[in-house]
Each structure stands twice: as C-alpha cells, then as structure tokens.
Amino acid sequence: MKPAQMERTPFADLDRQPREMTAMLLAALEAMGRHPEIRRVRRTAMDALRPAPGWRVLDAGSGAGDVARWMAGVVGPDGEVIALDYSAATIAAAIERHDGSNVRYTTGDVSAIDLPANSVDGVWCERVLQHVDDADLAIAELTRVTRPGGRICLIDTDWSSLAFDGVPAHLARTVVAAMHGRLTPRQVDMGRTLRRRLVAKGLRNLSATPVTCLFGDPASAAVVLPMVNPMVPEQAWMTPPGVRDKWFSHVEEAGARGDFLAVLTIWAVTGTVA
C-alpha cells in the first residue's frame, strides 16, 4: 500500500532519497531526539498522555524508535508499544537500536493502519501529520484503533510561528518562504489546528499546550531547523543565487556576536476517545 505521506519534503519520502541523504536524515532524527528543546516538548506531551503500566500504545510515525523505547519503560513488561513508520529504512534503523524492551516495529501507513478497531489504549503521533495528504483521515484512523476511554496525543509544529532575531528580517523571510514545501512542509499551521481536529472527531478531556522552543545559537538551531543547517545540500535549497551564502554569513556573524535567536512553537494536544 502506498504511504499517505506527501512527496514533498525529504522526511515525507525518506525511502526514495539517495543513500547518503537517507543516512543524513536518520542522523538528523536522532540528533533532534537528543535536543533539550525537543525533549522538553516530549516531556510535556508525555505528562499529558499519562500512559499507564500495562497499556498497549501505538507510536504512529516512530522514527528511529527512541520514544517507543521510552514508552516501553513506562508501560512495563505487561504492556506493549507498536512502533509504526512508513519508512522501511527508518524501521530497520530502529530495529538496529532495539534495547530488548517490549516494542514491536512495523512499517505502515498512518492513514490506513493495519490494526483492529479499539485495539490500543493510547496513541503517540509526533510531527507526522504535517507531512500527510489528509491529516483528518489519519486522525480518524488513530481514533479508530484506540479503545473508548483511551488517550491520543498529537505533537506537531506550527511552522508559521518560526521567527529569527539577529539576522536581517527580509532575508529570513526570503529563506523561510523558499523552504516551505521543500525542506519544511507546506502545512505550516498543523500544530495550532490539532485541537480543532480532535474536537471534530468527538474526543473529550482535551488539553492543548504550545511549547515555544528557543534556540540561542546557530549550532543549536541547526539540529531542528533545516534552513540553519549548513550540512543540508545546496541543491536542496530553493532560494535565488547567492541568497544561501549571504544567509549563512549573517547567521555566522550573529552567532559570533551572541545575539542570534530562533523560536518555533510545537503543540502537544491530547484527548480521550469517547
């Protein structure tokens, strides 16, 4: 079955990237998972989801499996985590990193999940919906597989919140606009729409928490923001000639002065299935 992810950003179609790009993207996923701001987002989301020992949890869009393995420690030996990702390369990387915990890794489409209805106690879906063709269809599937009284946690980015300081504002606007649909998804406001989407699906006991991630130097920002990462291949940029070099020159200068700043809001939204 063809995955629902859009053929737009490299993360949305990782298996079709050149081998070198795949390796770079997997390394980027792992680096993001170690970043203090992403860890803060995940702690906020985990506190809202509140998984319990014995739960069966679906990690929909599990990446290299670091959250799935963390969750397995929470649900304990009587629980189970199903780590689902559309990318076979990502699942293979997750299996290589497996630590013996109760995690089952599988490839699949978040918009057509191969699980029975009411078969999991909780769902974790982190920064996936911004990449799919139809987020509401995917949420309907996540709801379908969750039992009544089970919990769903959606975490996603509001790319329209991205802002910089210490660099020329007009240049930042040019770079960010050129990245949308190429290195960042076209669905720039996914994070802020999550609560409304869960309301439409009839979930109750909703909580919605915006977490503003702060990056105080270019090296920290580069882990999460592709437009600040000089390792992103030049051919992936969609800016006019000379803009990339000018941008990185200003970023480097701001870093040297100590006044570089980037902020990005990621939302953690949870609800209970009726």
Side-chain angles (χ1 to χ4, degrees):
M1 180 176 293
K2 182 179 179 181
Q5 277 72 12
M6 296 183 293
E7 295 185 1
R8 291 179 179 171
T9 69
F11 281 116
D13 197 11
L14 193 146
D15 284 349
R16 293 178 62 183
Q17 303 301 317
R19 181 176 300 178
E20 296 79 8
M21 176 65 81
T22 299
M24 187 185 80
L25 292 172
L26 288 172
L29 284 174
E30 290 192 291
M32 277 190 272
R34 294 190 299 267
H35 196 287
E37 292 294 80
I38 297 301
R39 287 186 171 183
R40 186 162 63 90
V41 171
R42 288 176 173 176
R43 287 194 301 271
T44 298
M46 194 72 80
D47 288 345
L49 179 60
R50 302 188 304 276
W55 269 27
R56 190 183 196 213
V57 179
L58 171 65
D59 183 356
S62 54
D66 46 344
V67 170
R69 291 184 286 273
W70 177 27
M71 192 89 67
V74 176
V75 302
D78 295 328
E80 180 188 29
V81 179
I82 302 165
L84 172 78
D85 201 279
Y86 75 98
S87 165
T90 303
I91 288 294
I95 292 172
E96 287 180 2
R97 292 156 177 76
H98 186 54
D99 59 359
S101 56
N102 198 9
V103 178
R104 174 160 61 92
Y105 303 94
T106 184
T107 56
D109 183 352
V110 297
S111 296
I113 302 170
D114 188 19
L115 286 173
N118 307 329
S119 60
V120 302
D121 301 293
V123 167
W124 176 282
C125 185
E126 180 186 341
R127 290 178 295 161
V128 173
L129 297 176
Q130 60 183 292
H131 295 293
V132 305
D133 282 319
D134 188 337
D136 292 318
L137 175 61
I139 293 171
E141 272 292 272
L142 299 176
T143 304
R144 179 188 67 81
V145 302
T146 306
R147 64 168 174 81
R151 300 275 290 168
I152 292 177
C153 182
L154 307 179
I155 304 102
D156 230 307
T157 312
D158 185 349
W159 283 105
S160 61
S161 72
L162 177 61
F164 292 93
D165 194 33
V167 294
H170 70 281
L171 185 58
R173 287 193 296 268
T174 297
V175 169
V176 170
M179 290 298 184
H180 287 326
R182 177 61 175 171
L183 292 177
T184 59
R186 292 190 185 280
Q187 184 68 60
V188 297
D189 62 348
M190 179 56 69
R192 81 176 78 157
T193 72
L194 294 177
R195 185 182 184 279
R196 168 174 56 81
R197 294 174 190 274
L198 289 186
V199 168
K201 291 295 183 290
L203 273 72
R204 52 189 176 81
N205 300 326
L206 294 174
S207 69
T209 306
V211 181
T212 299
C213 300
L214 185 151
F215 309 98
D217 61 78
S220 174
V223 176
V224 178
L225 306 177
M227 69 285 296
V228 190
N229 188 347
M231 299 301 293
V232 173
E234 187 171 354
Q235 61 267 28
W237 284 64
M238 301 296 287
T239 50
V243 168
R244 181 182 184 274
D245 291 342
K246 185 177 181 180
W247 166 250
F248 277 118
S249 177
H250 281 288
V251 168
E252 183 178 349
E253 290 170 4
R257 291 192 305 268
D259 63 5
F260 175 89
L261 180 68
V263 291
L264 177 71
T265 299
I266 301 177
W267 287 80
V269 180
T270 60
T272 302
V273 175

